Amino acid sequence: MKVWISVFTARLLGLLGQRRTGLELDNEIQLHIQMLTDRYILQGMEPAEAGAAARRQFGNTTLLRERHHEQRSFSMFATLLRDLKFGLRQLQRNRTLTFVAITSLALGIGANTAIFTAAKRVLFDTLPVANPQQLRMLTWVSGHELPVPPVWGDVGPNETGGLTSNGFSYPVLEEMRKRTDAVQALIAFKDIPITATIDGHAEMINGELISGNAFQPLGVNAELGRTLTPSDDQGPGSGPVAVISDGYWTQRFARSPLVLGKAISLNGFPVTIVGVTDGHFGGLQMGSSMQVFVPLTMQPLVLPRAQNGSVSLLDNPQSWWVQILVRLRPDVSEERAQGELDASLRQSAMPVLKQTGDLDRFHLQLEPGDRGLDYLRGKYERPSYVLLALAGFLLLLACLNLANLLLARSASRQRELSTRLALGASRGSIVRQILTESVLLSSLGGAAGLLLGYLGRNVIPRLLMNSSGPELVQVQFDWRVLLFTLGISLGTGILFGLAPAWQATRIAAHAGLRDSGGATASRHRLWFDQGLVIGQIALSAILLTGAGLFVHTLLNLNRIPLGFESNHILLFRISLPRARYSDERTMTFFGQMEEKLASLPGVRSVTVSNIGIIGDGHSGATFHVLGRAREKDPSRVQTNSVGVDFFQTLGIPILQGRLFNRRDTATSPKVAIVNRALAQKFFPGESPIGKTFETDIEDVDGSIQIVGIAADTRYADLRSDTPPIFYIPYMQEVKGPGRMMVEVRTVADPTSVLAEVRPAIESLDRDLSMADVSTMKDQVRSTLADERTLAKLTGGFSVLALVLASIGIYGMMAYAVNTRTSEIGLRMALGARTNQVFSRVLREAFWLTSAGTVLGLIAALGLTRLTKVMLYGIGNADPLTVVGTAVILVSVSLMAAFVPARRASRIDPIRALRHD
């Protein structure tokens, strides 16, 4: 490898011009000193004195070497400046080629820049805190059985087949704080929705319960006022204070300094704003921007959750709900910190752990915490890689187009280049000049692409804003984006300028002197052009196939039957603050709300549900049929607490049994309606009507009787099969539901009744706000936001690819016709007809396109395996997409070759032969 590098370096230096080596320079210096010494001796000096005087006057070798390097650097700078000026003049002379090249590169580099900016947020960004690499997220792992009480948070499978979660109880947090000194700080937090009432106006915002010791170890400062402190977090009544984010300060308070000391209400509890965080910090959950931060110990006041007779989770070891970040100490190993925290967890949690056989597998582990609670990467990681790959293909296509254009341009400059060679210019200077022009083109294209990328940096986040889950917002256009754009711009200019530069050096010194047009080219050049075009077609086939697959996926998902009527339904969410709403008052409120909204003009019916039917998450519970033997692992199904008119409002058919009615109250026997999937799973070959079951839902006591079977509907999304579900009336729950989705069926456009719905809600409670307002159609569409975005982007990429490929085909065919003018003229002189010449050119374009299409389809089908999880209803090969891609590429290539073919068929044989 070293020998190869040395040879390559020597040849490159030889191409770029002859330079004096250090030995040659030393010999030259010694010669000048000797000449000066001889002159002094002739003037009568002694030899020793003459030599010393000569060295003093001429200077030492080191000084001369420095002077030589200065002169050489200045000479190189002057040469570079001269090449740049000449390159600009050349680009200005051929403005069409310059415009096409810069536009192609701008589109490719701009798309890559915009997508990299969004992908950077998903893949590389960390929390805007001090030393985020020192943070670790605490999680626990266990066997396949859940060893702790129900968790308010995420519980999912791990790599070993067990369970993992990041939810801990507050007593466990307190014990960890007491028993370990292996970490600098334990930071607890919990993201919650909050109804904020400011100056009499209520609105839903994102809030975060956070421990008072969080801001200092995170290095988060206050832009105005102060942040939370440990003294604010001593107990429920110790800190009725709040800190707001810079974004919320700007949006809601217009950055007024009078916000300090302002009293607002959070879920009905009054607090005082004491500070504003700096502009970069938006909470400890990646993908969400928090507007307000309150001390963790304010949970009983801001978000009371009745459990075991108390609304506080601070002293409840049965509730696992809080997330914990730790900052490691530099002088303590991660293994020691994990060991101490694990011992503390097992000791403090053992009294409440369920006695299962998996307790020996219950341990704490440290996960990377530089991104906090990260839902963003899990949702958008795979689409980000797909979009980066597609944008890379588009950039490569633009680069091939650039290389083809530069090759055509170098061919048209044969006379100029051969003249320069004949006058003594070195091949190195020719290579340097062509590379300079290529880098100049790529730099101009990169600058334009950077501008396009900056203007389009939020296009992808806006396309995904209606998607459920974390939001890909607030992307930062930082130095990494600039470095990325600079790198691909220079790399493009150098890599794809080498071929034209090398081609230019192959021109003989006399080649252009006998041909004024420079139309004669070697067969090697034509083959190289054809190879570039085949590569362009292959890349276009990959992009077109990807677009076809994602569009087909979107069409398949749109054709899925929902199982309910989605037209004319208005959706919004109501969250009742527990601090002001008891269980009895909660039931009363929702009953009054349903009656009031149902009486509005234009409203047909109203209902509520704990879980929105599409795109609102999951709610699981155990299901055990009474009279059957209990299983070791209880079956878990999905559940939903709904209003009496739920099935009528959403248009879900009842297949057997009855609907809920007003007689299903808290004092009547508990009833449920199951869907067909549950009936088929638990009652195959028999009717479930009249059967009873038990569940672990805390709000439902005793057994529940099945009174009806409902049709299957899509539950959380459109991709997943309908899970087994049972529905129960919310009026039969022990506790009143604090957070419900309201479904309003209207006569006409659902948004037409908003003007009456809002005042109706405010008349019941002016401190309540309607959150997540949308229509059912929009809700369903939002679940397909990712697929729709991929279809749009890949479709846009494929259109750009077709444009670039058609330019390449046109350029290559036009060049081929131009260089084969004599051959075509000779054929026509020997009797070839016009239509034969026309069809011959089109056949060449067809075979080139066919070769590129076959190669591209083979590569695309191989890449499909990597994206199969993102597709729906498509096998290993989609015939419709394959055939459609081939037809589109062939049609576009024939259209691009039509003009050169027509020009070839009109060549005058006499002029062509005379030209030769």
Side-chain angles (χ1 to χ4, degrees):
M1 176 64 76
K2 292 182 178 179
V3 174
W4 184 89
I5 293 175
S6 300
V7 172
F8 176 79
T9 304
R11 294 192 64 182
L12 181 63
L13 289 175
L15 282 175
L16 294 180
Q18 299 296 324
R19 303 294 182 186
R20 287 181 296 175
T21 64
L23 181 61
E24 292 171 342
L25 179 63
D26 290 342
N27 292 336
E28 183 180 344
I29 292 171
Q30 293 299 327
L31 177 62
H32 282 287
I33 292 176
Q34 185 62 47
M35 292 174 61
L36 191 59
T37 301
D38 292 342
R39 198 170 88 181
Y40 285 149
I41 291 175
L42 291 175
Q43 293 177 358
M45 287 188 180
E46 294 294 329
E49 184 181 358
R55 283 190 293 272
R56 283 195 306 270
Q57 182 172 348
F58 199 85
N60 56 46
T61 303
T62 303
L63 179 61
L64 288 176
R65 188 182 294 276
E66 292 176 355
R67 290 175 180 172
H68 170 74
H69 284 309
E70 291 177 0
Q71 294 174 357
R72 179 179 173 183
S73 299
F74 180 78
S75 176
M76 291 178 63
F77 177 77
T79 301
L80 176 62
L81 186 61
R82 184 176 64 251
D83 288 344
L84 286 175
K85 291 181 178 178
F86 184 78
L88 285 173
R89 289 197 301 270
Q90 290 295 324
L91 297 181
Q92 189 176 10
R93 288 176 183 173
N94 198 336
R95 297 181 181 180
T96 302
L97 183 145
T98 302
F99 175 78
V100 172
I102 292 178
T103 302
S104 301
L105 289 174
L107 293 174
I109 294 175
N112 275 267
T113 301
I115 291 177
F116 176 78
T117 305
K120 177 180 66 69
R121 171 73 169 164
V122 174
L123 304 174
F124 308 119
D125 281 358
T126 59
L127 293 174
V129 300
N131 300 318
Q133 71 279 0
Q134 296 178 357
L135 296 177
R136 297 294 183 272
M137 174 70 72
L138 297 190
T139 60
W140 54 259
V141 295
S142 69
H144 65 280
E145 293 189 45
L146 190 65
V148 301
V151 177
W152 176 22
D154 298 325
V155 179
N158 59 23
E159 296 177 354
T160 61
L163 298 175
T164 184
S165 175
N166 53 29
F168 296 85
S169 68
Y170 193 83
V172 167
L173 168 67
E174 289 292 283
E175 288 300 315
M176 286 185 179
R177 285 173 172 170
K178 296 176 184 177
R179 298 188 182 187
T180 181
D181 59 352
V183 297
Q184 287 184 350
L186 282 89
I187 301 163
F189 64 100
K190 182 67 178 180
D191 302 327
I192 58 172
I194 290 180
T195 301
T197 304
I198 304 171
D199 298 330
H201 175 72
E203 59 182 349
M204 287 293 298
I205 62 175
N206 295 325
E208 191 166 73
L209 296 170
I210 191 167
S211 54
N213 70 325
F215 290 91
Q216 184 176 0
L218 290 175
V220 177
N221 301 315
E223 188 165 338
L224 184 69
R226 66 175 179 88
T227 58
L228 299 179
T229 64
S231 61
D232 298 322
D233 199 27
Q234 297 298 318
S238 62
V241 296
V243 173
I244 62 175
S245 68
D246 179 81
Y248 192 55
W249 181 38
T250 302
Q251 170 197 343
R252 189 66 179 79
F253 300 98
R255 304 186 71 83
S256 170
L258 299 178
V259 71
L260 291 182
K262 186 175 183 61
I264 63 175
S265 173
L266 300 179
N267 284 347
F269 183 77
V271 298
T272 302
I273 298 176
V274 296
V276 179
T277 63
D278 62 33
H280 300 291
F281 185 71
L284 297 176
Q285 178 173 314
M286 208 71 177
S288 295
S289 296
M290 302 296 121
Q291 280 93 17
V292 64
F293 305 91
V294 294
L296 189 68
T297 54
M298 284 180 57
Q299 174 270 319
L301 304 175
V302 176
L303 195 72
R305 291 174 69 91
Q307 202 169 36
N308 297 333
S310 173
V311 296
S312 175
L313 303 179
L314 304 179
D315 55 359
N316 187 350
Q318 299 288 336
S319 181
W320 291 58
W321 60 285
V322 67
Q323 282 91 33
I324 304 174
L325 274 176
V326 299
R327 182 177 287 282
L328 300 177
R329 286 176 50 179
D331 58 335
V332 176
S333 67
E334 186 168 338
E335 292 75 15
R336 177 192 161 189
Q338 179 170 331
E340 290 191 15
L341 291 169
D342 179 61
S344 176
L345 168 67
R346 291 175 60 82
Q347 186 172 357
S348 58
M350 195 60 69
V352 299
L353 294 181
K354 298 177 182 178
Q355 300 303 311
T356 69
D358 293 328
L359 281 183
D360 58 332
R361 299 174 60 186
F362 179 74
H363 288 287
L364 180 139
Q365 67 180 19
L366 302 183
E367 299 289 345
D370 56 342
R371 293 171 61 86
L373 190 60
D374 186 13
Y375 296 121
L376 195 64
R377 180 175 290 171
K379 181 174 178 61
Y380 296 121
E381 182 177 19
R382 190 179 295 271
S384 296
Y385 283 126
V386 171
L387 291 178
L388 283 173
L390 294 176
F393 287 143
L394 182 65
L395 177 61
L396 182 58
L397 187 60
C399 292
L400 292 178
N401 218 17
L402 172 66
N404 210 351
L405 290 172
L406 289 175
L407 282 171
R409 186 168 177 271
S410 64
S412 66
R413 295 171 61 186
Q414 282 188 9
R415 184 178 182 84
E416 171 205 336
L417 296 177
S418 59
T419 302
R420 291 178 63 181
L421 287 172
L423 293 176
S426 66
R427 294 186 182 274
S429 64
I430 299 295
V431 170
R432 188 181 63 238
Q433 181 61 49
I434 299 298
L435 279 178
T436 300
E437 295 176 15
S438 174
V439 172
L440 188 59
L441 269 177
S442 67
S443 300
L444 294 174
L450 183 65
L451 177 61
L452 290 177
Y454 178 79
L455 296 176
R457 66 192 184 280
N458 288 318
V459 170
I460 297 176
R462 286 172 183 168
L463 290 174
L464 296 175
M465 280 185 68
N466 292 328
S467 171
S468 60
E471 293 182 353
L472 183 61
V473 295
Q474 295 184 349
V475 295
Q476 299 294 327
F477 208 79
D478 57 16
W479 63 269
R480 286 174 292 186
V481 178
L482 296 176
L483 187 63
F484 171 81
T485 306
L486 177 63
I488 61 176
S489 300
L490 294 179
T492 295
I494 295 174
L495 291 178
F496 291 89
L498 286 175
W502 180 256
Q503 182 72 21
T505 63
R506 295 171 60 88
I507 302 175
H510 60 279
L513 298 178
R514 47 176 205 192
D515 188 338
S516 61
T520 302
S522 66
R523 180 64 60 181
H524 173 79
R525 161 69 207 281
L526 192 57
W527 288 348
F528 193 82
D529 279 359
Q530 291 174 346
L532 289 178
V533 170
I534 290 175
Q536 290 178 305
I537 295 296
L539 290 173
S540 300
I542 293 174
L543 292 173
L544 272 173
T545 303
L549 292 175
F550 286 120
V551 169
H552 199 176
T553 292
L554 183 61
L555 293 176
N556 289 341
L557 290 172
N558 278 320
R559 287 195 291 260
I560 292 176
L562 300 175
F564 62 91
E565 295 293 334
S566 60
N567 295 318
H568 305 302
I569 296 181
L570 176 70
L571 303 175
F572 60 90
R573 186 175 300 288
I574 291 290
S575 297
L576 301 181
R578 287 290 187 180
R580 295 190 293 110
Y581 280 86
S582 63
D583 294 337
E584 181 179 356
R585 189 181 175 193
T586 296
M587 297 292 190
T588 302
F589 172 85
F590 282 114
Q592 292 175 345
M593 182 196 68
E594 288 182 85
E595 293 180 4
K596 196 171 190 66
L597 295 182
S599 64
L600 295 176
V603 174
R604 287 184 176 178
S605 62
V606 179
T607 190
V608 295
S609 59
N610 181 42
I611 300 294
I613 199 168
I614 290 287
D616 195 37
H618 306 262
S619 180
T622 60
F623 186 88
H624 171 67
V625 181
L626 293 179
R628 297 181 182 178
R630 290 189 176 274
E631 302 174 350
K632 180 180 179 181
D633 298 326
S635 299
R636 295 190 67 83
V637 299
Q638 298 299 312
T639 182
N640 202 354
S641 301
V642 301
V644 172
D645 298 327
F646 177 79
F647 297 97
Q648 301 96 310
T649 301
L650 293 180
I652 302 175
I654 296 297
L655 307 178
Q656 191 176 348
R658 69 173 178 87
L659 293 164
F660 296 139
N661 55 51
R662 304 295 174 185
R663 294 187 296 275
D664 296 323
T665 63
T667 58
S668 64
K670 303 298 186 295
V671 295
I673 294 176
V674 301
N675 69 341
R676 181 187 300 183
L678 187 145
Q680 292 175 345
K681 178 178 180 179
F682 292 94
F683 305 96
E686 61 177 320
S687 174
I689 302 299
K691 302 292 178 64
T692 57
F693 66 92
E694 290 180 338
T695 183
D696 63 354
I697 298 178
E698 185 181 1
D699 298 342
V700 178
D701 292 334
S703 61
I704 306 173
Q705 184 181 40
I706 300 174
V707 298
I709 302 176
D712 289 339
T713 67
R714 293 292 166 169
Y715 182 61
D717 56 66
L718 298 181
R719 287 178 174 267
S720 305
D721 294 334
T722 303
I725 308 171
F726 68 85
Y727 305 88
I728 57 176
Y730 78 88
M731 295 297 293
Q732 292 192 333
E733 293 181 339
V734 175
K735 296 188 305 180
R739 176 178 177 270
M740 297 291 274
M741 178 71 77
V742 183
E743 294 98 355
V744 181
R745 178 167 290 280
T746 62
V747 176
D749 182 10
T751 58
S752 64
V753 301
L754 268 176
E756 289 79 24
V757 170
R758 293 185 187 276
I761 298 296
E762 292 178 357
S763 67
L764 296 174
D765 189 337
R766 61 188 299 269
D767 290 331
L768 293 181
S769 65
M770 299 166 54
D772 303 329
V773 180
S774 67
T775 66
M776 181 62 79
K777 281 286 189 183
D778 291 337
Q779 182 78 358
V780 173
R781 284 176 55 84
S782 71
T783 63
L784 300 177
D786 296 348
E787 290 81 1
R788 189 174 296 106
T789 299
L790 285 173
K792 289 180 179 179
L793 290 175
T794 53
F797 288 159
S798 62
V799 171
L800 293 177
L802 285 175
V803 173
L804 295 175
S806 62
I807 293 174
I809 294 172
Y810 172 81
M812 193 278 298
M813 298 308 299
Y815 175 77
V817 170
N818 192 32
T819 56
R820 295 166 60 188
T821 300
S822 301
E823 175 193 340
I824 296 173
L826 181 60
R827 288 178 180 274
M828 297 184 72
L830 294 176
R833 295 190 299 273
T834 300
N835 60 341
Q836 290 177 326
V837 174
F838 183 82
S839 62
R840 180 183 178 87
V841 175
L842 290 184
R843 279 199 305 271
E844 291 184 10
F846 173 79
W847 289 117
L848 285 176
T849 304
S850 299
T853 301
V854 170
L855 292 176
L857 288 175
I858 293 174
L861 293 177
L863 294 173
T864 301
R865 299 177 181 177
L866 303 177
T867 60
K868 190 169 181 60
V869 70
M870 304 172 64
L871 305 176
Y872 183 85
I874 298 175
N876 293 329
D878 182 26
L880 181 62
T881 301
V882 171
V883 173
T885 298
V887 170
I888 291 175
L889 284 174
V890 170
S891 301
V892 170
S893 66
L894 293 180
M895 290 173 61
F898 178 82
V899 174
R902 188 165 176 266
R903 185 185 305 158
S905 66
R906 295 186 175 184
I907 290 178
D908 185 351
I910 297 178
R911 291 186 178 181
L913 295 175
R914 184 182 301 163
H915 173 76
D916 189 50

